[in-house]
Amino acid sequence: MKPIREFEKHYQVVVVGGGLSGMCAAIAAARNGASVALIQNRSMVGGNASSEIRMHVVGANCHNSKPNMMETGILLELLLENKHRNPYHTFSVWDTIMWEKVRWQEGLDLYLNTCMETAETKDGIIQSICCFQNSTETRFIFTGDIFIDATGHGTLGVLAGATTRVGSEGRAEFNEPNAPEVPNTDTLGNSLMFQAVDRGEPVEFIRPEWAYRFSEEDLKYRSHVESVRSISDGGEPTEYEAGASSKLPEFYNLDSGYWWIELGGQYDDIIAQGEEIRDELARCVYGVWDHIKNVSDHGAQNYDLSWVGFIPGFRESRRLEGQYILTENDVRANRVFKDAVAYGGWPMDDHVRGGIMDFDKNPSRCFNFEGCYSIPYRCYISKDIGNLMMAGRDISTSKMAYGSIRVMGTCAVGGQAVGTAAAMAIRYGIQPPEMAEHMDELQQTLLKQDCYIPGYANHDPADLARTAKVSCSSAAEGCSAENVINGITRTVGSESNVWESAPLADGPAWLRLDLPKAQTISEIRLTFDPNLSREIMPSITAMVRNRQCKGMPDELVRDYTVELRNNNETVYTQHVEGNYQRLNTLKLPEPVLADSLILTVTATHDYPAARVFEIRLY
Ligand SMILES: Cc1cc2nc3c(=O)[nH]c(=O)nc-3n(C[C@H](O)[C@H](O)[C@H](O)COP(=O)(O)OP(=O)(O)OC[C@H]3O[C@@H](n4cnc5c(N)ncnc54)[C@H](O)[C@@H]3O)c2cc1C
C-alpha cells in the first residue's frame, strides 16, 4: 500500500473547523445550494460541545434568566433531535447526533481527522488550503471560492495573512468603560473538565505524585463546597451561571468539573504553549480532586472520577479583524445594526489572568446587561482577505465584547448566518463583502430558516400567507390568530407574537388562512413553540440537567393536520404525528392551486393548548 496519497478537490465553500459554528456554517451553506467541505482535525464534530470537552451550550438566554432569548435555527434543530433521542444526556450519543446532521447533509462532505496545515493566498484571495488526514495517510489540497475560518484560533486567517488581535484593547481605543486603561495580551485560560459519579459506597482516591496540592485557603474564592459560597455570595457570578441577575446561584457540585480549573491566560503564547499548559492543568485537576476527596470533608466519600478530559478547552486565543469590530458599547446599548445577522445576550465574562493560581482573586468578572444585541455581518468578513469569512469565537470583536460572543449558542447562530451568506454570494457570483448589497435578502432568508434577528420581521414578498385573512376556533387573551402572520416568531417583551387556542380538552383547535385569491402552493412552513425560555442542552452537570423538562418541551405541537382547499374543496392534506421540531417544512409532492389553509392541532407534548408562532405559504 502506498503511504501519503494526495488528492485535489474543489468546493464552492470550504469550512475549516467543525465546532458548532463551523457545523452550522457548513450545513447552512449546503442547504442554501453550495457545494461544501467541512474540514475537522478531530475524530468527531462539535468542538467544545463534543464529548472531547463536554461544555454545555449556553447563549443569550443566560441559563433561563433572560426569557424567550434561546437560539433557534440549526442549533435548535440539533438540540431538539438530541432531546428526542438522548434523554440521559449521554455525550457520545450527542456526538453522533451532531455527526449525522453533517454526514447526511446533501451537498456537504465531511473530512474528519483532517488538519489544515497551510494556505495559499494570491492578491488577497485564498486559492487553496493543504490538509492532512491522519486516519488515511492522505494529503488533500482543497481549492474553493469562499473559505470560512471556524477554527477558534483564526488559524486560516493567520495562514492567509489576515490581521489578528490578541488580548485586551486599552480603554481609549473604543471608549469602552470596562476595558483596562492600558492594552494587554492576556487571554482567558484553558480548562480540563471532569465528571464524577456516586458509587453508593466509599471510594478511595490515590493522589498521583505529580498532582498539585490545594488547601482550603487556596480555593477560598472557588466554589466547590458550601463553606466557600458566603465569600462569593453577592460577588461575581460564575462562568456558567452568570445571568441577568448578579446573584450567585447554587453551583457547588461534585459531579462535574470546575470551569475555574483554568490556566494559560498570562502565558506568552497560549497556542504554542498548549501542551505545557495541558500538563499543568492535569496536575491541577487531580490536585483539586485530591483536595475534595482527601484534604477535608466535602461529602465526597462515595464519589469517584468517571471521566477526565485530556484535550483542553480553549476559551480565547486570536480574533480576526473584520470590517467592523463589535464593542462593549454596542453590547450594552443592545445595538440593532442595519446589517444585523445574528445576536447575543450572554454577559461579558472575563477571567483572572492567572486562572486557578490567582488564589486571592475571584476567578471571573462578569459584566451583565439587560436584553440582547445584534451582531453585524461586517464582523464575520475579513477586512483584508476578500474571500475569507469567520464563524465562532474568532470573529471581529473587542476583547470586552468577546466575553459575550464566545458562548456556543451565539457562535452557532453566527455560523448559520455566515454559511447562508456564503451560499448566496456563490449564487450571485460575488465575494462576501459585496453581499452588503443583498442584506435584506440575507436577513429574510435567515428569518425564513428560523433564525432570530432582534428588530427584524418577516416581510418576504414570496410568502403568500402574509396577505391572508386569519380566523380560528378560539384564542387566549393577547395571543390572537393574526399573530401567525405578524412576522415575529418568538415572544418579545409584552408582545406574545403567538396564537394560543383554548384548551385542547374542549376539542381540537383550528386556525384558518383565507388568501385574497387562489395561488399555487408548493410549500407550507409552520413554526411551533418549544419554549425559548427553558434550556434543553446536554450537560454533564446534574443541577443543569435536573432543572430541564423531562421529554420534549410541553408546548410543542405534537399531532396536527394541514389541509389546503380551493373553493372549499380539499386539494391537499397532510397529517403529522409525533412532531418534535419547532420549524416544520412541508414540501408538497407537486404544487396545488389553493385559496385557504386549515391547520388543526389535536395534541401537544403536554401543554393544554395549541401554540403556533408562524405559518408561511410558498
Ligand atoms: C472550559 C470552558 C468552559 C466554557 N464554558 C462554556 C459554556 O458553558 N457554554 C458555552 O456555550 N460556551 C462555553 N465556553 C466557550 C465555548 O466553548 C467556545 O467559545 C466555543 O466552543 C467556540 O466555538 P468555535 O466553534 O469557535 O470553536 P470550537 O468549539 O473550539 O471548535 C473549533 C474546532 O475546529 C477544530 N480545528 C482547529 N484548528 C483546526 C485546523 N487547523 N484544521 C481542522 N480543524 C481545526 C478544533 O479541533 C475544534 O474542534 C467554554 C470554553 C471553555 C474552554
Side-chain angles (χ1 to χ4, degrees):
M1 276 179 283
K2 197 167 153 228
I4 320 295
R5 297 170 310 145
E6 195 166 299
F7 293 104
E8 254 193 66
K9 302 242 174 193
H10 180 82
Y11 291 90
Q12 289 170 321
V13 177
V14 178
V15 183
V16 188
L20 274 171
S21 61
M23 287 171 60
C24 290
I27 293 170
R31 286 183 182 175
N32 283 284
S35 67
V36 183
L38 176 60
I39 317 296
Q40 164 69 336
N41 61 3
R42 302 288 185 203
S43 57
M44 60 187 76
V45 289
N48 284 2
S50 75
S51 60
E52 285 189 332
I53 318 277
R54 304 191 190 196
M55 297 320 314
H56 48 211
V57 181
V58 299
N61 97 332
C62 300
H63 279 309
N64 305 337
S65 63
K66 291 189 180 180
N68 304 304
M69 286 280 176
M70 209 158 91
E71 292 73 17
T72 47
I74 295 168
L75 174 64
L76 183 63
E77 187 184 319
L78 278 161
L79 292 174
L80 287 169
E81 188 67 45
N82 182 67
K83 190 90 182 111
H84 177 57
R85 281 163 48 193
N86 187 15
Y88 292 99
H89 299 241
T90 304
F91 261 74
S92 46
V93 174
W94 166 232
D95 289 339
T96 313
I97 286 168
M98 290 190 285
W99 166 79
E100 73 180 22
K101 274 281 172 204
V102 175
R103 174 63 185 80
W104 307 112
Q105 172 60 53
E106 200 185 325
L108 168 53
D109 289 342
L110 171 64
Y111 294 84
L112 287 176
N113 302 303
T114 305
C115 187
M116 174 196 57
E117 296 178 335
T118 58
E120 198 192 310
T121 307
K122 198 170 149 212
D123 301 330
I125 298 288
I126 302 172
Q127 307 294 314
S128 64
I129 58 171
C130 181
C131 304
F132 188 69
Q133 187 171 54
N134 60 21
S135 53
T136 58
E137 298 180 337
T138 304
R139 185 170 295 126
F140 290 101
I141 313 281
F142 293 103
T143 55
D145 299 319
I146 293 177
F147 288 82
I148 298 175
D149 185 334
T151 60
H153 291 332
T155 311
L156 173 55
V158 176
L159 293 172
T163 311
T164 58
R165 286 185 171 237
V166 175
S168 289
E169 292 76 12
R171 193 169 302 164
E173 183 169 356
F174 297 116
N175 207 14
E176 294 175 303
N178 288 295
E181 204 69 63
V182 180
N184 65 57
T185 55
D186 297 347
T187 60
L188 306 173
N190 300 344
S191 290
L192 288 177
M193 307 302 285
F194 68 81
Q195 271 182 278
V197 288
D198 183 344
R199 301 281 184 205
E201 60 181 4
V203 182
E204 187 188 4
F205 175 68
I206 301 164
R207 176 185 157 274
E209 273 176 17
W210 42 262
Y212 284 124
R213 290 182 192 277
F214 293 104
S215 67
E216 212 61 77
E217 176 64 17
D218 294 338
L219 300 182
K220 66 177 182 285
Y221 284 106
R222 286 161 174 80
S223 47
H224 60 290
V225 283
E226 187 132 33
S227 59
V228 299
R229 281 178 68 221
S230 53
I231 296 170
S232 307
D233 232 344
E236 298 299 344
T238 69
E239 178 170 15
Y240 291 84
E241 293 301 312
S245 121
S246 61
K247 189 170 149 273
L248 182 73
E250 292 195 16
F251 199 73
Y252 59 94
N253 55 297
L254 289 169
D255 71 316
S256 62
Y258 303 130
W259 60 268
W260 46 256
I261 304 180
E262 172 177 0
L263 283 176
Q266 82 283 36
Y267 280 51
D268 291 338
D269 187 333
I270 196 165
I271 298 174
Q273 292 169 280
E275 292 288 305
E276 181 189 329
I277 296 168
R278 192 264 331 283
D279 291 353
E280 283 298 293
L281 279 169
R283 302 175 79 185
C284 292
V285 172
Y286 282 90
V288 168
W289 192 244
D290 172 59
H291 167 90
I292 287 170
K293 291 286 290 183
N294 301 327
V295 170
S296 46
D297 182 9
H298 296 84
Q301 293 81 348
N302 293 0
Y303 276 85
D304 182 28
L305 289 176
S306 59
W307 171 79
V308 182
F310 217 68
I311 299 172
F314 270 84
R315 282 189 183 79
E316 185 184 354
S317 45
R318 312 180 187 100
R319 306 185 293 282
L320 297 173
E321 255 188 57
Q323 290 197 343
Y324 183 78
I325 297 176
L326 191 79
T327 70
E328 174 181 6
N329 296 316
D330 299 325
V331 168
R332 282 190 185 285
N334 284 191
R335 195 160 162 197
V336 175
F337 289 90
K338 283 209 168 98
D339 59 341
V341 291
Y343 74 105
W346 186 255
M348 288 169 279
D349 182 0
D350 195 13
H351 293 192
V352 283
R353 66 196 295 271
I356 187 172
M357 296 305 181
D358 271 347
F359 296 137
D360 57 345
K361 295 190 183 101
N362 259 319
S364 82
R365 271 185 341 150
C366 263
F367 300 96
N368 294 312
F369 57 92
E370 298 289 326
C372 68
Y373 55 91
S374 70
I375 309 177
Y377 178 66
R378 287 162 295 157
C379 290
Y380 296 101
I381 48 177
S382 163
K383 73 168 193 180
D384 26 36
I385 306 293
N387 63 346
L388 175 63
M389 306 181 84
M390 299 85 86
R393 66 178 173 85
D394 59 11
I395 68 166
S396 181
T397 70
S398 71
K399 165 71 176 252
M400 280 302 300
Y402 178 82
S404 172
I405 67 91
R406 69 189 180 88
V407 287
M408 289 182 279
T410 311
C411 289
V413 293
Q416 182 165 354
V418 169
T420 308
M424 283 176 64
I426 295 290
R427 213 181 312 136
Y428 280 113
I430 57 178
Q431 293 291 15
E434 296 164 64
M435 274 300 293
E437 288 161 34
H438 303 278
M439 200 42 58
D440 183 58
E441 189 188 341
L442 172 59
Q443 289 163 333
Q444 288 300 312
T445 306
L446 290 168
L447 295 178
K448 182 178 174 186
Q449 294 172 2
D450 201 24
C451 293
Y452 175 58
I453 310 175
Y456 288 79
N458 169 20
H459 60 243
D460 181 357
D463 173 11
L464 301 166
R466 290 176 55 247
T467 58
K469 191 168 133 290
V470 191
S471 53
C472 63
S473 53
S474 56
E477 208 185 320
C479 301
S480 72
E482 284 76 19
N483 281 341
V484 301
I485 55 163
N486 83 352
I488 303 173
T489 54
R490 64 175 61 206
T491 297
V492 179
S494 58
E495 299 300 318
S496 78
N497 297 316
V498 75
W499 167 57
E500 179 172 322
S501 70
L504 293 171
D506 300 346
W510 59 262
L511 185 141
R512 179 174 173 135
L513 302 183
D514 282 293
L515 302 176
K517 61 176 179 116
Q519 300 273 7
T520 305
I521 312 275
S522 54
E523 186 178 298
I524 303 164
R525 295 171 92 94
L526 305 161
T527 306
F528 299 125
D529 179 19
N531 189 343
L532 300 178
S533 297
R534 200 172 46 207
E535 290 174 328
I536 54 166
M537 75 291 202
S539 177
I540 55 172
T541 303
M543 188 197 70
V544 174
R545 289 194 302 271
N546 293 342
R547 67 185 178 205
Q548 297 188 12
C549 60
K550 274 220 179 304
M552 299 311 292
D554 296 349
E555 295 82 356
L556 260 185
V557 165
R558 197 189 70 194
D559 304 339
Y560 65 93
T561 304
V562 180
E563 188 188 345
L564 289 174
R565 291 185 187 172
N566 197 23
N567 282 329
N568 266 331
E569 270 190 27
T570 302
V571 289
Y572 171 79
T573 314
Q574 168 116 28
H575 180 61
V576 175
E577 270 186 28
N579 166 59
Y580 55 87
Q581 285 291 347
R582 167 175 148 98
L583 176 62
N584 282 216
T585 304
L586 310 178
K587 285 195 194 300
L588 275 55
E590 53 193 48
V592 297
L593 195 68
D595 60 14
S596 60
L597 170 145
I598 299 168
L599 165 71
T600 308
V601 176
T602 45
T604 65
H605 280 271
D606 209 20
Y607 194 76
R611 284 175 68 83
V612 181
F613 275 111
E614 186 170 71
I615 302 180
R616 291 186 183 222
L617 290 174
Y618 291 92

